[in-house]
Amino acid sequence: MCYNIPMNLNTSVETLSGVGANYAKKLHKLGLNTVEDLLLYYPRRYEDFSTIVPISKTRPGESITIKGNIWQIANKKSRNRRMTITEAVVADDTGTMKVTWFNQPFLTKSLKMGDEIVLAGKPEFNYGQIVMISPAWEKLSVDLKHVGRIVPVYPETEGLTSKWLRYQIKPLLKLVFNIKDPLPETLKKREGLTDLPSAVRAIHFPNNKLELAEARKRLAFDELFIILLSGLKQKMGMAKEKAVSVPFEENKAKEFVDSLSFSLTNAQKRVCWEIIKDLKKDHPMNRLVQGDVGSGKTIVAAFAMYLVAKAKYQAVLMAPTEILAKQHFDGLSKVLVPFGLNIGLITGKEAQIKRQNSKGKIQNCNLKIKRGELIKLIKEGDIDVAIGTHALVSDKLEFKSLALAIVDEQHRFGVDQRQALRKRSGLGEGSTLQERVEPSDGNFPHFLSMTATPIPRSLQLTIFGDLDVSVIDELPPGRQEITTKLVSHDKREAAYEFIKKHVSDGRQCFVICPLVKESEKMDLKAATDEHKNLSENIFPNLKVGLLHGKMKSKEKEEIMNDFKMGKCDILVSTSVIEVGVDVPNASIMVIEGAERFGLAQLHQFRGRVGRGEHKSYCLLFTNTNTNFDTTTTKRLNTLVTNQDGFKLAESDLEIRGPGEFMGTRQSGWSDLKIAKFTDIKLISKVRDAAQWFLGKDPELKTVPVLKEKVESIEYARE
Ligand code: ADP
Ligand code: MG
């Protein structure tokens, strides 16, 4: 309230006139603490009240703005006396308009006969008269905020109305010129962009549509430019780091490929080739392999690890869960041990090795050893390929000559864990790669991440801009389509009968319980309750198992193994089994509360079945009434009609935004406010600009404000 204190961008919202403790609290909840925050709180949409229409030209049903004098204004009670009705008559040179408002008795205090007023709304026919009901209004002034112009409509949350926000923000606009413009003139000129202060002013109170379009263009550019710069800069930085060059020996590669029980798909061959080329370079690969569930990413990883191990370096693979790590350990050993490689498994608690027997007779000799011993063997270089969970990045682990780090299902990991793994080669403290491989120089390992989440092209360029992306866009031959059905509440009985029939035919079934708002505890409860219900009420004669993230790893593994061996018919689980697990006899996937998951994720669950020879089904249980064509039904139906993970990902991006894909990249990333992650055309254009700009100033030395913004994103990415 202190007007004598000069306001600036850092002035806290509390000191603004009209912002009491109550409003301040609401603003803080939205993260709006300073004047600058308020200025950067953009409208969601606009109402165009800019054209003022003579009253005689108004037509019922058309949104219009009129300007006139109040001839009459008075409150009266409704017939049942529960409501106050304010009735007014407003006149301009061409005619009169009746106006009513409900339950705003104070209006007669602010509006008096003779006042000049601007009204915006939709006149309608009412008892043979044209009336404007509850129009937006404002007394005529040179500084109209609510009518007579293009009017901003803000996201109305936390009990903050657009009207209130307009009232607060308009007087702050005189401060926009204190906002520092991060872009240099040359760039603005090249891209035809207006300056930032003008854009911020116009995004709130544009004088016309052209100005609004210019403002949106500028602000959208900035949002994308910063993300793209960050990615490209990161990429350039990595390109300067050193890594060991892994030679490609064609005959050895051929030996490996010939040893497989199947031939690689063309897509797999292409991706292998991309990796070969990366590994040969003496700076680190940073590649993401993306391939639908079942597309065969593991063998591509195995191939890369084989090349590295044959060149006498070590490779490491990190899986998101112990079950998956174990599965990879078993699967990869089968293809790698016959070539004389030693494979180690290291998880939170256990350690195992598979290698050829010293007499060369018994292959896959399986040794349980102490964790400490395995850690020592890895350090001494006796283990060629280490597989594990995030226990791999525990401080103790050192490699003798790590040249390749692979992360499976990368979106499931924290960025810090991936980063730690990447640094475990040469740059991390106490690593020995430096001494053994490149004595005078730090080496990064080549880095490969794998994901089944298809990442739309627009996100590859933006959020994943620091990575090269390879796509396995082909499934191995003979894969069957999985029949997908939406099951609303009233169809449950029938679905349960369907499951019983399949189980009696010898098949097995997964039941995934819904995610309860990110809370593990609630997840657990949902799964335990469902397990109880299914085992006691629905399938009392079947064996129903339960698997959840809170279990001890040993327990999890036993349950998963029992399920694999067919010792239980139905496995109820939280979303922990989302990735990777292979149970060929499971032919039905039930997903409870399907509406709570993203399409890409549902598609991944679905990929858990159809891995064997049996016709497989995915049943999406939902509590919404699927007879109605709601958004939810439509969204889930996309899954019913579509088996292509890529297409599903695109619709996910459109419907739910990029959160689904960011995984842990999310932290610290602000969502786009103006630009759209689906706007590939704009993204490509801004990317060109970012590349051009980095070509001139790779370290962003000439643009400190921009640099700071880019670094704040880099920080979140790290
Ligand atoms: P994902 O991409 O989901 O990780 P996996 O690597 O687990 O898929 O492969 C799924 C299954 O397909 C495995 O059993 C694997 O042995 C098999 N597979 C992989 N590539 C081929 C291929 N080219 N031909 C036939 N089967 C393959
Ligand atoms: Mg996999």
Side-chain angles (χ1 to χ4, degrees):
M1 299 274 183
C2 312
Y3 288 109
N4 42 358
I5 297 178
M7 260 203 295
N8 61 43
L9 293 175
N10 296 323
T11 305
S12 65
V13 289
E14 276 94 342
T15 58
L16 299 176
S17 150
V19 181
N22 187 21
Y23 272 114
K25 212 167 126 195
K26 290 175 178 175
L27 289 170
H28 292 324
K29 259 199 176 156
L30 290 172
L32 306 174
N33 303 317
T34 64
V35 164
E36 183 168 16
D37 294 340
L38 265 179
L39 285 173
L40 299 181
Y41 188 67
Y42 301 148
R44 164 168 294 162
R45 59 187 181 87
Y46 301 83
E47 302 262 27
D48 188 354
F49 294 150
S50 55
T51 318
I52 290 173
V53 179
I55 290 177
S56 64
K57 293 264 161 63
T58 60
R59 260 180 231 111
E62 275 177 22
S63 287
I64 43 105
T65 306
I66 60 170
K67 184 174 86 177
N69 282 306
I70 299 179
W71 271 16
Q72 263 173 252
I73 184 159
N75 289 333
K76 66 174 203 186
K77 285 283 174 195
S78 65
R79 248 179 242 154
N80 59 18
R81 310 205 56 78
R82 289 210 197 107
M83 218 184 332
T84 306
I85 303 174
T86 308
E87 286 188 336
V89 175
V90 173
D92 67 6
D93 296 344
T94 68
T96 61
M97 173 74 75
K98 196 174 164 200
V99 184
T100 45
W101 288 276
F102 299 104
N103 280 336
Q104 300 184 44
F106 49 85
L107 278 177
T108 49
K109 297 224 162 56
S110 353
L111 295 177
K112 301 283 181 204
M113 267 165 66
D115 281 349
E116 270 205 291
I117 182 174
V118 183
L119 295 162
K122 206 187 267 179
E124 35 190 283
F125 258 123
N126 205 327
Y127 296 104
Q129 248 183 325
I130 297 184
V131 187
M132 271 177 113
I133 295 174
S134 307
W137 62 271
E138 195 174 359
K139 280 194 210 176
L140 187 64
S141 72
V142 287
D143 186 31
L144 283 176
K145 298 178 186 73
H146 310 294
V147 290
R149 57 171 307 124
I150 297 176
V151 171
V153 180
Y154 295 90
E156 298 205 348
T157 45
E158 301 294 341
L160 294 171
T161 64
S162 280
K163 191 159 187 178
W164 188 85
L165 282 163
R166 277 176 223 142
Y167 188 79
Q168 285 301 329
I169 291 173
K170 186 99 200 264
L172 301 179
L173 291 180
K174 59 179 182 289
L175 294 171
V176 291
F177 291 95
N178 298 340
I179 296 178
K180 284 193 199 118
D181 192 333
L183 300 189
E185 288 304 323
T186 48
L187 183 69
K188 280 185 274 184
K189 219 170 191 169
R190 182 182 190 264
E191 298 298 318
L193 296 170
T194 175
D195 65 298
L196 185 62
S198 311
V200 172
R201 184 195 56 72
I203 202 74
H204 291 288
F205 289 94
N207 286 321
N208 50 55
K209 284 185 179 160
L210 185 67
E211 226 181 65
L212 177 59
E214 290 290 320
R216 292 183 63 88
K217 180 176 164 192
R218 166 67 208 253
L219 296 173
F221 183 92
D222 279 29
E223 288 176 347
L224 291 171
F225 192 58
I226 288 163
I227 295 175
L228 287 158
L229 276 182
S230 150
L232 289 170
K233 218 170 135 273
Q234 194 101 344
K235 203 167 175 173
M236 282 166 50
M238 280 311 281
K240 271 191 245 140
E241 300 292 346
K242 288 239 169 281
V244 292
S245 156
V246 177
F248 174 60
E249 292 175 72
E250 204 177 338
N251 54 335
K252 281 191 186 153
K254 198 167 171 308
E255 259 178 62
F256 177 83
V257 173
D258 289 346
S259 77
L260 300 175
S261 59
F262 46 76
S263 43
L264 295 177
T265 62
N266 285 330
Q268 283 170 320
K269 282 185 203 159
R270 192 186 63 237
V271 174
C272 282
W273 189 241
E274 281 163 355
I275 292 171
I276 288 168
K277 283 193 286 187
D278 279 357
L279 287 175
K280 261 196 341 200
K281 293 178 187 155
D282 59 3
H283 53 80
M285 158 168 86
N286 193 14
R287 185 169 288 281
L288 173 69
V289 172
Q290 175 203 315
D292 223 340
V293 213
S295 61
K297 295 181 289 293
T298 318
I299 206 66
V300 171
F303 178 72
M305 293 192 282
Y306 168 85
L307 290 181
V308 164
K310 278 289 166 196
K312 300 278 182 277
Y313 297 112
Q314 289 170 295
V316 56
L317 183 145
M318 182 161 81
T321 62
E322 305 205 352
I323 294 172
L324 261 183
K326 184 77 190 341
Q327 189 177 292
H328 276 321
F329 177 61
D330 293 336
L332 290 167
S333 300
K334 282 199 191 107
V335 290
L336 295 176
V337 169
F339 291 99
L341 305 186
N342 299 339
I343 320 292
L345 171 72
I346 186 160
T347 63
K349 275 149 221 89
E350 75 169 328
Q352 274 189 62
I353 303 177
K354 290 198 192 206
R355 65 174 172 218
Q356 281 179 321
N357 184 293
S358 52
K359 290 173 198 139
K361 272 191 188 154
I362 311 165
Q363 286 202 331
N364 296 347
C365 130
N366 195 349
L367 299 174
K368 291 227 179 223
I369 61 167
K370 290 214 178 78
R371 248 179 132 237
E373 271 175 69
L374 180 56
I375 288 172
K376 188 159 162 276
L377 289 174
I378 291 173
K379 184 174 177 177
E380 286 166 355
D382 288 334
I383 296 296
D384 301 294
V385 170
I387 295 166
T389 54
H390 54 266
L392 281 170
V393 296
S394 78
D395 288 337
K396 281 183 223 132
L397 203 62
E398 290 168 27
F399 290 85
K400 181 179 171 193
S401 58
L402 182 67
L404 173 64
I406 302 181
V407 174
D408 192 18
E409 304 300 349
Q410 63 95 30
H411 64 286
R412 303 270 299 195
F413 281 102
V415 182
D416 44 339
Q417 285 166 344
R418 275 187 282 142
Q419 212 68 22
L421 185 64
R422 179 190 274 179
K423 287 195 172 139
R424 199 129 297 277
S425 69
L427 299 182
E429 278 202 320
S431 164
T432 53
L433 185 77
Q434 274 156 296
E435 299 141 35
R436 309 296 303 219
V437 181
E438 203 77 55
S440 60
D441 221 341
N443 275 284
F444 274 90
H446 295 286
F447 194 75
L448 185 68
S449 35
M450 306 194 288
T451 181
T453 307
I455 297 157
R457 175 95 186 118
S458 56
L459 295 189
Q460 288 179 21
L461 293 174
T462 50
I463 319 180
F464 294 88
D466 55 328
L467 302 172
D468 293 311
V469 180
S470 292
V471 185
I472 307 185
D473 50 3
E474 182 186 357
L475 291 180
R479 287 286 152 82
Q480 40 154 319
E481 252 193 29
I482 295 155
T483 303
T484 306
K485 289 224 150 49
L486 267 185
V487 181
S488 59
H489 209 78
D490 51 320
K491 304 267 167 53
R492 254 164 204 258
E493 286 308 316
Y496 289 140
E497 285 309 313
F498 181 82
I499 294 169
K500 275 184 206 161
K501 185 184 160 298
H502 278 258
V503 170
S504 70
D505 287 346
R507 301 289 81 73
Q508 288 167 284
C509 170
F510 285 111
V511 177
I512 307 264
C513 293
L515 208 66
V516 187
K517 281 209 174 144
E518 316 279 310
S519 147
E520 254 188 84
K521 217 163 138 195
M522 296 290 281
D523 269 6
L524 182 60
K525 183 165 173 349
T528 0
D529 288 355
E530 181 66 14
H531 175 250
K532 195 164 150 43
N533 177 41
L534 291 181
S535 57
E536 288 175 11
N537 307 327
I538 314 279
F539 305 117
N541 301 323
L542 303 182
K543 274 170 266 153
V544 185
L546 172 65
L547 185 71
H548 59 72
K550 277 269 148 64
M551 284 173 164
K552 294 224 166 70
S553 53
K554 188 117 192 112
E555 219 179 331
K556 275 194 270 189
E557 197 176 300
E558 266 165 29
I559 288 165
M560 206 59 225
N561 270 339
D562 282 357
F563 190 59
K564 256 184 162 172
M565 310 291 284
K567 286 191 200 157
C568 94
D569 307 304
I570 294 170
L571 185 64
V572 179
S573 132
T574 49
S575 46
V576 291
I577 63 138
E578 176 188 349
V579 285
V581 184
D582 216 358
V583 183
N585 191 47
S587 67
I588 301 178
M589 166 63 67
V590 171
I591 301 159
E592 279 286 351
E595 65 272 17
R596 303 218 197 163
F597 296 102
L599 293 179
Q601 207 181 0
L602 289 170
H603 179 63
Q604 299 218 19
F605 291 141
R606 175 165 67 180
R608 297 298 112 227
V609 294
R611 301 204 141 203
E613 76 238 55
H614 311 290
K615 168 78 194 141
S616 297
Y617 303 86
C618 176
L619 306 179
L620 305 170
F621 281 28
T622 122
N623 290 324
T624 53
N625 189 335
T626 51
N627 296 324
F628 294 115
D629 204 19
T630 59
T631 330
T632 311
T633 311
K634 262 194 214 144
R635 192 168 71 86
L636 292 176
N637 264 323
T638 326
L639 202 76
V640 172
T641 52
N642 211 320
Q643 303 269 335
D644 178 348
F646 239 108
K647 291 224 179 76
L648 292 169
E650 300 270 359
S651 21
D652 248 3
L653 178 61
E654 224 148 89
I655 303 169
R656 288 168 56 121
E660 213 73 25
F661 304 92
M662 293 218 220
T664 46
R665 281 178 177 241
Q666 217 158 5
S667 60
W669 285 69
S670 58
D671 248 346
L672 300 179
K673 291 195 270 185
I674 309 264
K676 288 209 167 57
F677 273 122
T678 42
D679 191 347
I680 186 83
K681 222 167 125 188
L682 179 64
I683 290 169
S684 306
K685 188 169 143 39
V686 180
R687 192 166 192 268
D688 274 353
Q691 240 150 1
W692 171 80
F693 192 73
L694 281 175
K696 289 168 37 128
D697 181 6
E699 299 298 328
L700 305 180
K701 281 194 184 120
T702 58
V703 277
V705 180
L706 185 61
K707 186 167 185 227
E708 198 181 307
K709 285 181 192 282
V710 170
E711 271 165 8
S712 75
I713 283 197
E714 263 165 32
Y715 180 73
R717 202 199 292 274
E718 298 261 332

